[in-house]
Amino acid sequence: MANDAPGSTPSTAPVEATTAPPEPAAQPVTVSDQTILPASHWQNAPVRSTIPDPIAAEDDGDADSTYSSIQSSTASLTESILQYRTIHGRTFHSERGRAQAWTPNDESQAESMDMNHHLCTLILDGKLHLAPIPDDVEKVLDIGTGTGVWAMDFADLHPKARVIGTDVSPMQPTWVPPNLQFQIDDANEEAWTWRENEFDFVHVRALFGSIISWPAFYKEAYRVTKPGGYIEDHEWSVKFGCDDGSVLDDSPMGQWSKVYWEGGKKFGRTFRVVEDDEQVQGMEAAGWKDIVKKDIKVPIGSWPRGEREKTMGIFSRGMWEADAEGYVLYIWGTVMGWSREEIQVYIAHLRRQVRDPNVHSWYLHRIVHARKPE
């Protein structure tokens, strides 16, 4: 295996003098790597940030202008598929098979997904993939296609190829390239609907927290790929890392991954795909060869000095801020039992930390591609 390794106006009326008891000082919280602070912690937690409120308010305006400046089908769907679930006013895909997506399928989430697609092209220096597939590739499968933007871009670049994008939600556009088709399908099904040796290239992106069994997933991908064909999977860690100690374990960003990891255990779909090396191990077990792994640190925010890294950071923060609620609502609420009010208080703390220029955070984006032997 090749390995390329690389957050009031006072009153004037007289009043009787009274002495109020002093406010208790906020006590520091010491947590271990595995401790999850309760939802009630954030109700009274002091806001820890190096930026004062006026700057934070000004930063909000900058963020909005940044997002607006960088913002860049199925022929028939059954009525049951369009019967979305509603959770706290947000829509999620309908119950179908073993699917249980943890992100919404509405406009806010779609905006975040499209922003993420552009971020991924920045990470790949303008490319759509790293696997060495031939220019005359014939049939391509994009699993978890989301808004379908990757599949549309690929179909435009390869007009002679037939491209199929699948997802559990019909949130893709109707007007698409003629060589592209969207299908509603669940990658957790034990047997996929396609024949053996059908695809030249299987593309996967951001299915962490969505797959029940990664070994079974890669085994089915192997079955439907032609000998000599490729798979490429992009997953990323939900842990906010840093190289300077600016993300503490008891901070909102420090708690982010802990809640996801525990929620994944209860949910039955792991968020530790990167940490547990699920991609490489699952591909090896399924029989894939020539496995290549590439890790990239993706900054969050505009703190990096390098122009490329700074641009990546602006987009990664934009992706998150486009739908911060959507990324936590299901896991924090439905799975972990937090109320929407508790979630909103936590998000307020988290948003402030993410916007702090003295928090030099990043997350790990892992790309793994492999070949099916001939």
Side-chain angles (χ1 to χ4, degrees):
M1 178 187 73
N3 186 357
D4 181 11
S8 61
T9 303
S11 171
T12 58
V15 295
E16 182 179 353
T18 59
T19 302
E23 291 289 333
Q27 298 299 313
V29 179
T30 302
V31 299
S32 69
D33 286 343
Q34 303 302 321
T35 301
I36 297 178
L37 297 173
S40 59
H41 167 81
W42 303 106
Q43 301 288 336
N44 301 312
V47 176
R48 296 185 299 184
S49 175
T50 60
I51 53 177
D53 284 58
I55 297 181
E58 179 182 345
D59 191 62
D60 288 347
D62 291 342
D64 291 340
S65 62
T66 299
Y67 307 148
S68 62
S69 65
I70 62 179
Q71 187 176 14
S72 34
S73 105
T74 306
S76 63
L77 297 170
T78 64
E79 183 179 351
S80 63
I81 291 176
L82 292 172
Q83 290 175 347
Y84 299 142
R85 293 175 298 150
T86 301
I87 301 175
H88 292 307
R90 303 292 301 274
T91 60
F92 291 72
H93 76 89
S94 60
E95 300 288 356
R96 184 181 191 278
R98 306 169 78 192
Q100 195 75 10
W102 54 276
T103 53
N105 58 7
D106 52 19
E107 185 176 347
S108 294
Q109 181 63 203
E111 179 185 356
S112 181
M113 286 182 179
D114 287 346
M115 199 171 293
N116 176 64
H117 172 68
H118 185 73
L119 173 61
C120 287
T121 61
L122 290 173
I123 292 172
L124 298 183
D125 294 321
K127 302 175 183 177
L128 292 176
H129 57 86
L130 293 182
I133 63 173
D135 292 336
D136 59 350
V137 60
E138 295 178 351
K139 198 169 184 179
V140 176
L141 176 63
D142 182 32
I143 303 178
T145 194
T147 63
V149 63
W150 183 92
M152 288 186 288
D153 283 355
F154 190 94
D156 281 335
L157 287 175
H158 300 270
K160 294 184 179 181
R162 182 185 174 192
V163 183
I164 297 177
T166 70
D167 205 281
V168 296
S169 283
M171 56 188 302
Q172 303 79 34
T174 302
W175 293 97
V176 298
N179 58 327
L180 170 62
Q181 178 187 11
F182 291 122
Q183 299 179 3
I184 304 303
D185 201 37
D186 179 13
N188 283 310
E189 294 295 342
E190 294 181 359
W192 295 356
T193 57
W194 302 287
R195 302 186 306 270
E196 292 186 12
N197 307 327
E198 186 164 348
F199 296 97
D200 300 286
F201 182 41
V202 175
H203 177 263
V204 186
R205 193 164 71 187
L207 290 186
F208 55 91
S210 299
I211 299 301
I212 297 174
S213 171
W214 284 96
F217 174 86
Y218 292 121
K219 184 177 179 180
E220 274 300 284
Y222 184 91
R223 182 184 67 82
V224 302
T225 302
K226 296 177 183 177
Y230 287 85
I231 185 173
E232 180 166 315
D233 184 11
H234 294 236
E235 304 295 335
W236 41 94
S237 174
V238 295
K239 181 177 177 62
F240 288 112
C242 68
D243 297 317
D244 59 359
S246 57
V247 178
L248 303 178
D249 281 340
D250 63 334
S251 70
M253 296 179 77
Q255 288 288 297
W256 177 265
S257 62
K258 295 174 174 59
V259 179
Y260 268 120
W261 291 344
E262 182 61 26
K265 291 179 183 178
K266 296 184 177 187
F267 189 40
R269 293 156 172 80
T270 184
F271 285 91
R272 293 180 53 87
V273 176
V274 171
E275 286 75 15
D276 296 337
D277 208 19
E278 294 277 7
Q279 292 156 282
V280 171
Q281 293 183 22
M283 290 183 191
E284 287 178 339
W288 295 94
K289 303 298 181 182
D290 300 334
I291 300 175
V292 177
K293 178 174 71 175
K294 185 178 183 66
D295 285 342
I296 300 171
K297 288 182 178 180
V298 181
I300 302 168
S302 58
W303 60 265
R305 294 182 178 179
E307 192 61 32
R308 177 176 179 269
E309 290 74 19
K310 183 185 292 291
T311 303
M312 288 169 53
I314 291 172
F315 271 94
S316 66
R317 180 183 137 180
M319 172 191 69
W320 180 83
E321 292 228 42
D323 194 18
E325 180 189 69
Y327 287 112
V328 304
L329 195 58
Y330 187 83
I331 297 297
W332 266 247
T334 302
V335 177
M336 299 298 290
W338 291 30
S339 69
R340 187 168 191 178
E341 292 71 24
E342 290 170 332
I343 292 173
Q344 294 299 335
V345 171
Y346 169 75
I347 291 176
H349 284 276
L350 181 64
R351 192 185 303 275
R352 190 175 182 91
Q353 188 179 15
V354 168
R355 294 172 176 176
D356 189 336
N358 293 291
V359 175
H360 303 149
S361 61
W362 47 262
Y363 67 88
L364 201 62
H365 181 119
R366 176 166 294 172
I367 307 166
V368 181
H369 61 79
R371 182 182 62 86
K372 181 175 180 177
E374 299 186 54

